[in-house]
Amino acid sequence: MLAFAAVAGSSPAFAEWSKTEHGAKAWTEANYRIMNVRDIEADGNPVKAEYHRNAHPSTKLTLWNKGGVDGPPDNDGNPGTVESGKHSRIFKAQVCEERDKLPDFCSGWYSF
């Protein structure tokens, strides 16, 4: 039972939107109100999720994860993951891996 709990805590539970791009993974939860971003490659490149919320639709928000794959877990126990607060609904997002002095690797924007 303990092994099952460890495995269950390592993946996004009830993700409505999820996208992986190069060394970054982002997903929403809580009815599109929480954004998560996880670094999945130990390459030293920070990762980020960029997104828009209904409360301020023209403002692009950025959730950074600079802690790497061994960074602290989010509230659900996902390792190396940064989680936003629960606010208004997220309606558009992309996930990126930042690259120093080069263009970032980004997934492109998804609307939902």
Side-chain angles (χ1 to χ4, degrees), residues 17 19 21 24-27 35-37 48-52 60-63 90 92-97 104-112:
W17 171 81
K19 183 66 181 166
E21 183 69 26
K25 180 174 184 147
W27 67 93
M35 177 61 72
N36 295 270
V37 63
K48 63 184 175 180
E50 296 178 325
Y51 57 102
H52 292 265
K60 179 178 75 174
L61 303 169
T62 303
L63 181 63
I90 298 163
K92 183 172 150 180
Q94 71 175 355
V95 60
C96 304
E97 179 182 46
D104 295 347
F105 283 130
C106 293
S107 65
W109 289 97
Y110 290 84
S111 298
F112 33 85

Side-chain angles (χ1 to χ4, degrees), residues 49-90:
E50 296 178 325
Y51 57 102
H52 292 265
R53 291 185 180 273
N54 284 343
H56 303 282
S58 62
T59 302
K60 179 178 75 174
L61 303 169
T62 303
L63 181 63
W64 282 99
N65 181 342
K66 298 180 180 182
V69 295
D70 296 323
D74 67 1
N75 293 334
D76 300 318
N78 298 303
T81 303
V82 174
E83 182 176 274
S84 77
K86 184 177 181 182
H87 302 290
S88 69
R89 189 180 191 283
I90 298 163

